[in-house]
Amino acid sequence: MPDDVREVIIIGSGPAGLTAAVYAARANLHPLMIEGVDAGGQLMLTTEVENYPGFPEGILGPDMMARFREQAERFGTEFVTANVSKVDLSARPFSVWVDDEEHRSRAVIVSTGARARMLGLESEAQLLGHGVSTCATCDGFFFRDQEIAVVGGGDSALEEALFLTKFATKVTLIHRRAELRASKIMQDRAFANERIEFLWDSVVEDVLGDQTLSGLRVRNVKTDAVSELPVTGMFVAIGHFPNTNLFDGQLDRDDEGYVLTKGLAGETPATATNIEGVFACGDCVDHVYRQAVTAAGMGCQAAIDTERWLEAKAHEERSA
Amino acid sequence: MAEGILYLSDDTFDETIQGSDKPVLVDFWAEWCGPCKMIAPVLEEIASEQGEQLQIAKLNVDDNPDAARRFGVLSIPTLILFRNGEVEKRLVGAKGKGQLLQELSDVLA
């Protein structure tokens, strides 16, 4: 094979990808990580991470990802800070393009993660950055002494709502059901917080405001009653979808777009996809646990699966 | 502090924007903003490569809330492009270098 073919390219730089990079680099696979424009992944948008073992005092999401990256770099991972524009996994070596630049490798680890789902309203898109926000940590500051809303009922929604009470005088949590999906500890904290109010069985039908957000039109799904909630900010935390469009027609995915791996069928190597030599890990695979620590664990599996597969291939080539 | 980048404050904002003979791209950012950290190196590269045509400037919104308020910045990172002192374009959220250069192609022609 020509010299410009690498052992492994890792696409995506959240906990899964960076853990895979640490392991692959330590196994002398000289990984190239194409980390993406949203380098660091979803943790870059979070505040305090309190459930990652080894950080008893908690650690800020962006700080944690900086440490992950440092560790991967220390063992020789190379980084490209850009998005992958296309991939060709139909023949080995695989090709991964960043704009016009082609990178080739024997194996690929897919760790492209997931991103927050938006409501999908036209008015929501128009007011993005003008009251509609996708990042409570980044933008909470701008809503000091104001009344705002958070949409959603899971852990991330409550985490955002609690964080935003540091700035806002009132945070209304709008949830389409009458009970929360979030963990008990987060629910207890939210219910105990006087600045958080709950609007149950409700959905946002429209985001109001011309230049900046001035309110939300909310419909009660039980009674169909429509009301206006005067808020200046809206933070959406209604779930995620996987960043896997890049692999359309190449990797097998489920109906929602999550990459299917052997592990899901109870087989090994757990992170193997339908294409031999392509492994997948983290939130682009997992829509059940979706934790930094589970993603990191799966990233480790992907690196070990990759290393073993490359070794077996090299052995085959030598004996051929 | 990176070379070729101007660091603005509430006090120097207007003077700098009005006084520049080049278009100025202002990055409204803060220390606690993850995506702001992601785009910082991209802006440094653009500053060193395109410095003759475009002035890159940064404004810390935490220390300088007035300018952010005046320009209605409610999300960071927000990049606002000023030409002859007027707002020409605003970009919200982290973008890659290729995408940014494309957005700025008018002033980089």
Side-chain angles (χ1 to χ4, degrees):
Chain A
M1 285 204 191
D3 287 348
D4 66 336
V5 176
R6 288 172 173 272
E7 294 296 317
V8 60
I9 292 174
I10 302 171
I11 308 174
S13 59
L18 285 169
T19 304
V22 168
Y23 274 79
R26 285 173 57 84
N28 281 329
L29 299 180
H30 309 291
L32 174 72
M33 165 165 287
I34 303 180
E35 59 181 349
V37 172
D38 298 324
Q42 296 172 78
L43 278 171
M44 296 300 281
L45 308 178
T46 64
T47 46
E48 206 75 37
V49 180
E50 293 181 325
N51 54 11
Y52 199 90
F55 298 95
E57 311 301 326
I59 181 169
L60 293 176
D63 292 349
M64 184 160 103
M65 293 327 295
R67 289 188 179 211
F68 268 68
R69 194 180 187 279
E70 239 171 76
Q71 197 172 351
E73 200 168 22
R74 179 183 154 203
F75 296 109
T77 304
E78 281 177 57
F79 294 90
V80 173
T81 311
N83 284 346
V84 169
S85 14
K86 68 173 175 176
V87 296
D88 183 355
L89 308 175
S90 64
R92 292 200 301 265
F94 304 119
S95 290
V96 176
W97 282 269
V98 173
D99 298 323
D100 293 334
E101 199 180 336
E102 183 182 358
H103 301 273
R104 299 198 299 160
S105 64
R106 295 181 171 85
V108 167
I109 295 177
V110 174
S111 51
T112 46
R115 65 178 60 238
R117 206 178 275 285
M118 299 295 288
L119 297 172
L121 302 166
E122 202 178 304
S123 51
E124 174 192 39
Q126 274 164 7
L127 291 172
L128 189 69
H130 300 274
V132 176
S133 172
T134 55
C135 176
T137 357
C138 309
D139 303 341
F141 168 83
F142 298 107
F143 299 92
R144 201 178 289 279
D145 300 326
Q146 299 182 39
E147 299 192 358
I148 59 178
V150 171
V151 188
D155 271 336
S156 356
L158 293 198
E159 192 191 312
E160 293 205 347
L162 284 161
F163 173 75
L164 290 165
T165 59
K166 289 190 201 170
F167 305 100
T169 47
K170 186 171 119 184
V171 177
T172 304
L173 192 99
I174 304 171
H175 186 43
R176 64 196 162 122
R177 300 184 212 289
E179 57 190 43
L180 301 168
R181 265 181 297 117
S183 60
K184 184 75 173 55
I185 183 169
M186 295 303 282
Q187 292 202 25
D188 289 347
R189 285 186 198 170
F191 289 135
N193 192 308
E194 285 173 1
R195 292 191 174 193
I196 300 181
E197 286 188 13
F198 295 85
L199 202 52
W200 303 109
D201 298 315
S202 298
V203 293
V204 174
E205 283 205 321
D206 204 8
V207 181
L208 311 171
D210 188 16
Q211 295 295 315
T212 57
L213 195 154
S214 58
L216 303 175
R217 196 165 72 227
V218 177
R219 182 171 59 87
N220 184 301
V221 292
K222 290 249 167 82
T223 64
D224 260 343
V226 172
S227 59
E228 268 184 31
L229 184 70
V231 288
T232 52
M234 176 179 79
F235 295 79
V236 183
I238 52 167
H240 299 84
F241 65 93
N243 301 317
T244 57
N245 287 347
L246 188 61
F247 310 103
D248 248 344
Q250 302 192 58
L251 288 183
D252 286 350
R253 297 177 297 160
D254 72 6
D255 293 343
E256 287 181 74
Y258 291 90
V259 177
L260 294 170
T261 57
K262 282 197 174 174
L264 297 166
E267 293 165 27
T268 53
T271 63
T273 65
N274 59 305
I275 298 176
E276 203 191 327
V278 179
F279 302 86
C281 53
D283 282 11
C284 68
V285 175
D286 169 25
H287 51 96
V288 180
Y289 303 103
R290 303 193 306 103
Q291 302 300 303
V293 67
T294 52
M298 223 192 284
C300 163
Q301 292 180 321
I304 292 175
D305 289 344
T306 300
E307 187 191 353
R308 290 184 181 160
W309 181 81
L310 284 168
E311 228 165 70
K313 278 285 145 195
H315 184 73
E316 269 174 38
E317 279 167 29
R318 277 197 302 272
S319 10
Chain B
M1 301 242 162
E3 215 170 307
I5 293 185
L6 283 180
Y7 294 83
L8 305 180
S9 71
D10 280 342
D11 296 335
T12 62
F13 195 92
D14 286 343
E15 197 186 329
T16 311
I17 299 301
Q18 303 297 338
S20 175
D21 48 2
K22 283 182 283 191
V24 186
L25 183 73
V26 183
D27 170 27
F28 292 79
W29 73 286
E31 196 56 52
W32 26 259
C33 158
C36 298
K37 289 186 181 164
M38 297 183 227
I39 62 162
V42 173
L43 292 173
E44 282 170 21
E45 277 177 36
I46 294 178
S48 73
E49 291 164 10
Q50 313 282 348
E52 290 192 358
Q53 299 175 76
L54 175 69
Q55 177 66 53
I56 303 280
K58 291 175 78 103
L59 180 98
N60 182 321
V61 299
D62 204 6
D63 302 334
N64 304 284
D66 288 351
R69 197 175 305 131
R70 273 199 288 140
F71 292 97
V73 172
L74 290 176
S75 270
I76 47 174
T78 286
L79 303 174
I80 302 184
L81 178 68
F82 293 88
R83 185 136 55 166
N84 304 319
E86 303 285 326
V87 175
E88 176 149 316
K89 191 168 213 168
R90 53 194 296 152
L91 306 165
V92 178
K95 298 192 176 10
K97 190 177 174 190
Q99 210 181 344
L100 261 182
L101 289 177
Q102 204 173 344
E103 294 277 6
L104 297 170
S105 55
D106 284 354
V107 293
L108 298 176

